[in-house]
């Protein structure tokens, strides 16, 4: 007897279907999001953990890449796929680390009570200047 839905569980069927976008689960980021409910020291500590996480990923990613270059990486038959996904994971960790470095310099200038911090309006201007929402297309969509 065949189960209904078993065909959809086959990898080839699953790989050919659209997936959802990324989901971000990032506790230290939430701590920064609520920094105005704590202290400047709390925010700086959370950013320190983020920088540490990014550095640990960098060390791991470099070691893995060096292993592949030396011919000792695990699953060498999957190297083409792992290069693509490894690039994403490395770029993501780099972006998180760069953000944490930048955010640390901002938070260091805050008063002791984050509720009294002044916004950097230029950040909003930079984000807003990325384009007109009506001009943007979803990734992968042709103009």
């Amino acid at each position: 007897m065949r189960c209904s839905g078993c065909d959809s569980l086959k990898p080839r069927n699953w790989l050919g279907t659209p997936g959802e976008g990324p989901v971000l689960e990032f506790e230290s980021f939430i701590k920064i999001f609520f920094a105005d409910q704590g202290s400047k020291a709390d925010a700086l500590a959370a950013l320190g953990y983020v920088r540490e996480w990014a550095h640990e990923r960098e060390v791991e990613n470099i070691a893995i890449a060096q292993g592949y270059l030396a011919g000792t990486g695990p699953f060498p038959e999957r190297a083409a796929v792992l290069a693509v996904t490894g690039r994403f994971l490395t770029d993501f960790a780099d972006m998180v680390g760069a953000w944490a470095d930048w955010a640390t310099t901002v938070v260091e200038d805050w008063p002791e009570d984050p509720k009294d911090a002044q916004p950097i309006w230029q950040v909003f201007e930079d984000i807003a200047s990325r384009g007109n929402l009506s001009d943007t297309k979803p990734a992968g969509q042709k103009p």
Side-chain angles (χ1 to χ4, degrees):
M1 178 173 171
R2 256 177 80 103
C3 71
S4 62
C6 286
D7 284 341
S8 65
L9 298 176
K10 292 180 181 175
R12 287 198 182 271
N13 292 339
W14 174 74
L15 289 170
T17 62
E20 295 294 323
V23 174
L24 182 63
E25 183 177 323
F26 189 176
E27 185 177 3
S28 290
F29 184 82
I30 298 298
K31 290 180 180 192
I32 305 305
F33 184 79
F34 287 109
D36 57 338
Q37 304 302 309
S39 69
K40 174 180 173 176
D42 294 334
L44 288 171
L47 287 165
Y49 295 131
V50 173
R51 285 194 319 279
E52 184 178 317
W53 175 89
H55 177 72
E56 289 170 0
R57 298 299 79 71
E58 178 183 29
V59 169
E60 289 173 5
N61 293 337
I62 289 169
I64 290 168
Q66 289 173 341
Y68 276 98
L69 291 173
T72 60
F75 312 108
E77 70 282 3
R78 301 196 70 232
V81 172
L82 297 174
V84 172
T85 57
R87 170 69 186 262
F88 172 84
L89 294 172
T90 301
D91 287 352
F92 179 74
D94 289 348
M95 183 272 305
V96 170
W99 170 82
D101 289 343
W102 169 82
T104 297
T105 65
V106 171
V107 173
E108 284 173 339
D109 288 340
W110 283 359
E112 290 307 311
D113 186 346
K115 287 184 183 122
D116 297 329
Q118 294 298 307
I120 301 173
W121 294 106
Q122 184 65 46
V123 171
F124 294 116
E125 291 172 15
D126 291 346
I127 294 168
S129 72
R130 292 185 183 193
N132 182 337
L133 290 178
S134 64
D135 293 341
T136 61
K137 304 271 187 273
Q141 189 178 50
K142 293 182 180 176

Short mmCIF file of all heavy atoms in Angstrom, two decimals, residues 11-38:
data_model
loop_
_atom_site.label_atom_id
_atom_site.label_comp_id
_atom_site.label_asym_id
_atom_site.label_seq_id
_atom_site.Cartn_x
_atom_site.Cartn_y
_atom_site.Cartn_z
N PRO A 11 13.45 13.43 -2.25
CA PRO A 11 14.30 14.62 -2.40
C PRO A 11 14.14 15.34 -3.73
O PRO A 11 14.08 16.56 -3.77
CB PRO A 11 15.71 14.09 -2.21
CG PRO A 11 15.54 12.87 -1.38
CD PRO A 11 14.21 12.28 -1.80
N ARG A 12 14.06 14.61 -4.83
CA ARG A 12 13.96 15.30 -6.13
C ARG A 12 12.67 16.09 -6.23
O ARG A 12 12.66 17.17 -6.82
CB ARG A 12 14.06 14.29 -7.27
CG ARG A 12 15.47 13.78 -7.44
CD ARG A 12 15.65 13.15 -8.81
NE ARG A 12 16.97 12.62 -8.97
CZ ARG A 12 18.01 13.30 -9.42
NH1 ARG A 12 17.86 14.54 -9.78
NH2 ARG A 12 19.19 12.74 -9.53
N ASN A 13 11.59 15.57 -5.69
CA ASN A 13 10.33 16.33 -5.71
C ASN A 13 10.43 17.56 -4.82
O ASN A 13 9.99 18.64 -5.18
CB ASN A 13 9.16 15.46 -5.26
CG ASN A 13 8.84 14.37 -6.26
OD1 ASN A 13 9.21 14.46 -7.43
ND2 ASN A 13 8.18 13.33 -5.80
N TRP A 14 11.01 17.40 -3.65
CA TRP A 14 11.14 18.50 -2.71
C TRP A 14 12.07 19.58 -3.25
O TRP A 14 11.78 20.77 -3.14
CB TRP A 14 11.65 17.95 -1.37
CG TRP A 14 11.96 19.01 -0.37
CD1 TRP A 14 11.06 19.76 0.34
CD2 TRP A 14 13.25 19.44 0.03
NE1 TRP A 14 11.72 20.63 1.16
CE2 TRP A 14 13.08 20.45 0.99
CE3 TRP A 14 14.55 19.08 -0.32
CZ2 TRP A 14 14.14 21.10 1.60
CZ3 TRP A 14 15.60 19.72 0.29
CH2 TRP A 14 15.39 20.72 1.24
N LEU A 15 13.19 19.20 -3.85
CA LEU A 15 14.16 20.16 -4.36
C LEU A 15 13.58 21.03 -5.47
O LEU A 15 14.00 22.17 -5.65
CB LEU A 15 15.42 19.44 -4.87
CG LEU A 15 16.30 18.84 -3.77
CD1 LEU A 15 17.37 17.96 -4.38
CD2 LEU A 15 16.92 19.93 -2.93
N GLY A 16 12.62 20.53 -6.18
CA GLY A 16 12.03 21.28 -7.28
C GLY A 16 10.91 22.22 -6.88
O GLY A 16 10.34 22.89 -7.73
N THR A 17 10.58 22.29 -5.60
CA THR A 17 9.51 23.18 -5.15
C THR A 17 10.09 24.44 -4.52
O THR A 17 11.18 24.41 -3.97
CB THR A 17 8.60 22.47 -4.13
OG1 THR A 17 9.38 22.12 -2.98
CG2 THR A 17 7.95 21.23 -4.72
N PRO A 18 9.34 25.55 -4.60
CA PRO A 18 9.85 26.79 -3.99
C PRO A 18 9.94 26.62 -2.47
O PRO A 18 9.13 25.93 -1.86
CB PRO A 18 8.80 27.84 -4.34
CG PRO A 18 7.79 27.18 -5.18
CD PRO A 18 8.06 25.72 -5.24
N GLY A 19 10.92 27.25 -1.88
CA GLY A 19 11.07 27.23 -0.43
C GLY A 19 10.72 28.59 0.15
O GLY A 19 10.54 29.57 -0.56
N GLU A 20 10.64 28.63 1.45
CA GLU A 20 10.38 29.89 2.15
C GLU A 20 11.67 30.69 2.27
O GLU A 20 12.76 30.14 2.10
CB GLU A 20 9.83 29.59 3.56
CG GLU A 20 8.48 28.91 3.56
CD GLU A 20 7.38 29.81 3.02
OE1 GLU A 20 7.41 31.03 3.27
OE2 GLU A 20 6.50 29.28 2.33
N GLY A 21 11.55 31.95 2.59
CA GLY A 21 12.72 32.79 2.82
C GLY A 21 13.37 32.46 4.16
O GLY A 21 12.83 31.67 4.95
N PRO A 22 14.51 33.05 4.42
CA PRO A 22 15.22 32.78 5.67
C PRO A 22 14.41 33.19 6.89
O PRO A 22 13.59 34.11 6.83
CB PRO A 22 16.48 33.64 5.58
CG PRO A 22 16.62 34.00 4.14
CD PRO A 22 15.24 33.97 3.56
N VAL A 23 14.67 32.53 8.00
CA VAL A 23 14.08 32.86 9.29
C VAL A 23 15.24 33.23 10.21
O VAL A 23 16.22 32.50 10.28
CB VAL A 23 13.29 31.67 9.87
CG1 VAL A 23 12.79 31.97 11.26
CG2 VAL A 23 12.14 31.30 8.94
N LEU A 24 15.13 34.34 10.86
CA LEU A 24 16.20 34.82 11.72
C LEU A 24 15.85 34.54 13.18
O LEU A 24 14.84 35.03 13.69
CB LEU A 24 16.42 36.31 11.51
CG LEU A 24 17.54 36.96 12.29
CD1 LEU A 24 18.89 36.35 11.91
CD2 LEU A 24 17.56 38.46 12.05
N GLU A 25 16.68 33.74 13.82
CA GLU A 25 16.56 33.49 15.26
C GLU A 25 17.87 33.94 15.87
O GLU A 25 18.92 33.33 15.64
CB GLU A 25 16.33 32.00 15.53
CG GLU A 25 16.11 31.71 16.99
CD GLU A 25 15.81 30.26 17.25
OE1 GLU A 25 15.10 29.63 16.45
OE2 GLU A 25 16.30 29.76 18.28
N PHE A 26 17.84 35.03 16.62
CA PHE A 26 19.08 35.71 16.99
C PHE A 26 18.84 36.41 18.33
O PHE A 26 18.50 37.58 18.38
CB PHE A 26 19.39 36.68 15.87
CG PHE A 26 20.72 37.37 15.88
CD1 PHE A 26 21.04 38.19 14.82
CD2 PHE A 26 21.64 37.21 16.90
CE1 PHE A 26 22.25 38.85 14.78
CE2 PHE A 26 22.84 37.86 16.87
CZ PHE A 26 23.15 38.69 15.81
N GLU A 27 19.02 35.68 19.42
CA GLU A 27 18.70 36.19 20.75
C GLU A 27 19.46 37.46 21.10
O GLU A 27 18.89 38.41 21.64
CB GLU A 27 18.96 35.12 21.81
CG GLU A 27 18.54 35.55 23.20
CD GLU A 27 18.73 34.47 24.24
OE1 GLU A 27 19.25 33.38 23.92
OE2 GLU A 27 18.36 34.73 25.39
N SER A 28 20.74 37.52 20.78
CA SER A 28 21.51 38.72 21.11
C SER A 28 20.98 39.94 20.35
O SER A 28 21.02 41.06 20.86
CB SER A 28 22.99 38.51 20.81
OG SER A 28 23.54 37.58 21.72
N PHE A 29 20.48 39.73 19.13
CA PHE A 29 19.90 40.83 18.37
C PHE A 29 18.65 41.36 19.07
O PHE A 29 18.44 42.57 19.16
CB PHE A 29 19.56 40.37 16.95
CG PHE A 29 19.06 41.47 16.07
CD1 PHE A 29 19.94 42.34 15.43
CD2 PHE A 29 17.70 41.65 15.86
CE1 PHE A 29 19.48 43.35 14.61
CE2 PHE A 29 17.23 42.66 15.05
CZ PHE A 29 18.11 43.52 14.42
N ILE A 30 17.84 40.45 19.61
CA ILE A 30 16.63 40.85 20.35
C ILE A 30 17.03 41.66 21.58
O ILE A 30 16.36 42.63 21.94
CB ILE A 30 15.78 39.62 20.74
CG1 ILE A 30 15.30 38.89 19.48
CG2 ILE A 30 14.61 40.01 21.63
CD1 ILE A 30 14.41 39.71 18.58
N LYS A 31 18.15 41.27 22.20
CA LYS A 31 18.61 42.04 23.36
C LYS A 31 18.99 43.46 22.95
O LYS A 31 18.76 44.41 23.71
CB LYS A 31 19.78 41.32 24.03
CG LYS A 31 19.34 40.04 24.73
CD LYS A 31 20.49 39.34 25.39
CE LYS A 31 19.98 38.08 26.08
NZ LYS A 31 20.98 37.51 26.97
N ILE A 32 19.56 43.63 21.76
CA ILE A 32 19.87 44.97 21.27
C ILE A 32 18.57 45.71 20.93
O ILE A 32 18.42 46.89 21.23
CB ILE A 32 20.78 44.91 20.02
CG1 ILE A 32 22.05 44.12 20.27
CG2 ILE A 32 21.12 46.33 19.52
CD1 ILE A 32 22.88 44.55 21.42
N PHE A 33 17.62 44.99 20.32
CA PHE A 33 16.34 45.59 19.96
C PHE A 33 15.63 46.18 21.19
O PHE A 33 14.96 47.20 21.09
CB PHE A 33 15.45 44.52 19.29
CG PHE A 33 14.15 45.01 18.79
CD1 PHE A 33 14.07 45.69 17.58
CD2 PHE A 33 12.98 44.80 19.50
CE1 PHE A 33 12.84 46.15 17.10
CE2 PHE A 33 11.76 45.25 19.03
CZ PHE A 33 11.69 45.92 17.83
N PHE A 34 15.81 45.54 22.33
CA PHE A 34 15.20 46.02 23.57
C PHE A 34 16.21 46.73 24.48
O PHE A 34 16.00 46.83 25.68
CB PHE A 34 14.53 44.86 24.32
CG PHE A 34 13.28 44.39 23.66
CD1 PHE A 34 13.24 43.17 23.03
CD2 PHE A 34 12.13 45.17 23.67
CE1 PHE A 34 12.08 42.72 22.41
CE2 PHE A 34 10.96 44.74 23.06
CZ PHE A 34 10.94 43.51 22.42
N ALA A 35 17.29 47.24 23.90
CA ALA A 35 18.35 47.87 24.70
C ALA A 35 17.83 49.03 25.53
O ALA A 35 18.37 49.31 26.61
CB ALA A 35 19.48 48.33 23.79
N ASP A 36 16.80 49.71 25.06
CA ASP A 36 16.28 50.84 25.82
C ASP A 36 15.57 50.41 27.11
O ASP A 36 15.22 51.23 27.93
CB ASP A 36 15.34 51.69 24.96
CG ASP A 36 14.18 50.92 24.38
OD1 ASP A 36 14.26 49.68 24.26
OD2 ASP A 36 13.17 51.57 24.02
N GLN A 37 15.43 49.11 27.30
CA GLN A 37 14.83 48.59 28.53
C GLN A 37 15.90 48.13 29.52
O GLN A 37 15.58 47.67 30.62
CB GLN A 37 13.90 47.41 28.21
CG GLN A 37 12.81 47.75 27.22
CD GLN A 37 11.94 48.90 27.67
OE1 GLN A 37 11.43 48.90 28.79
NE2 GLN A 37 11.79 49.91 26.82
N GLY A 38 17.15 48.23 29.13
CA GLY A 38 18.25 47.81 29.99
C GLY A 38 19.29 48.90 30.10
O GLY A 38 18.97 50.09 30.09
#
